[in-house]
Amino acid sequence: MTYRVCLVCMGNICRSPMAEAVLRATLAEHGLEEVVVESAGTGDWHVGGPMDQRAALTLAEHGFDGSSHRARQFTAEWFDRYDLVLAMDTANLRALRRLAPAGQEVRLFRSFDPAAPADAEVPDPYYGGQDGFDEVLRQVKAASEGLAKHLAASRG
C-alpha cells in the first residue's frame, strides 16, 4: 500500500521543495521507494513556477535534483490525498490546521529530527543569503533521516 507525505511551506519554492527532494532520496536509501513525497505551499504567489534558483543550486551542489519542481498550493481537499502532512514552520502549521478536517494530524517536519528542540521550525531563507539555504538543507536532511527511520519502523 502506498503511503503519501506532503511537505508544506509558504510559497512552495524554497523549503518544502528542498525537503521533498531530500526526503525522496533519503527514503530511497532506506528502501522506502513506495512512499510518495510531494510538496505544496499555503500561498498561491508562485503556483506553476519553478523552485527558487538558490534552493535548486543548493540541492544540486549536494547531489539532489529539484529541476522538475513546479509550485502548487495546498487546499483543504488535499487532506484526503495524504497520510501525513508536515509544515515547515508554525505559521504554516496554523494555516494547515485551519484547513484540516477534525481529527486530522498536521505536524512540524522537524519534529522527526531527534536532535531538534520541541516546536523547531525550518526557517524561511528567501530574504537572506546562501547561508540560510545551507541551513535549510542541513535541517531537512536531519528531519528526513528521522522520518525515514520512523516510517521504516512503523512499516515493519
Side-chain angles (χ1 to χ4, degrees):
M1 184 165 95
T2 302
Y3 189 85
R4 298 175 65 89
V5 178
C6 190
L7 303 153
V8 183
C9 68
M10 186 81 59
N12 192 219
I13 61 166
C14 295
R15 295 171 290 175
S16 60
M18 288 179 74
E20 177 184 354
V22 171
L23 180 57
R24 190 175 287 130
T26 303
L27 291 169
E29 290 171 6
H30 284 267
L32 296 167
E33 294 90 351
E34 75 277 6
V35 177
V36 173
V37 181
E38 298 178 340
S39 66
T42 55
D44 65 356
W45 312 279
H46 303 288
V47 169
M51 184 184 309
D52 180 283
Q53 71 179 48
R54 298 164 297 171
L57 180 60
T58 302
L59 286 174
E61 287 174 348
H62 293 273
F64 301 100
D65 182 14
S67 62
S68 65
H69 176 77
R70 292 297 173 261
R72 306 177 316 153
Q73 183 180 20
F74 193 96
T75 65
E77 297 78 29
W78 287 22
F79 280 106
D80 289 340
R81 296 183 191 179
Y82 299 103
D83 299 292
L84 184 60
V85 177
L86 300 170
M88 295 293 118
D89 61 31
T90 55
N92 287 294
L93 181 66
R94 284 190 303 273
L96 288 166
R97 285 181 173 162
R98 283 192 298 272
L99 292 175
Q104 175 75 45
E105 181 183 20
V106 182
R107 294 176 60 173
L108 287 169
F109 183 49
R110 288 195 65 203
S111 68
F112 288 98
D113 177 356
D119 297 325
E121 301 177 309
V122 177
D124 190 348
Y126 187 78
Y127 293 105
Q130 182 59 44
D131 58 332
F133 289 89
D134 294 336
E135 181 64 12
V136 166
L137 183 63
R138 186 191 67 72
Q139 291 174 353
V140 300
K141 279 182 169 181
S144 293
E145 187 65 31
L147 178 53
K149 289 178 180 175
H150 170 79
L151 291 174
S154 69
R155 296 174 79 72

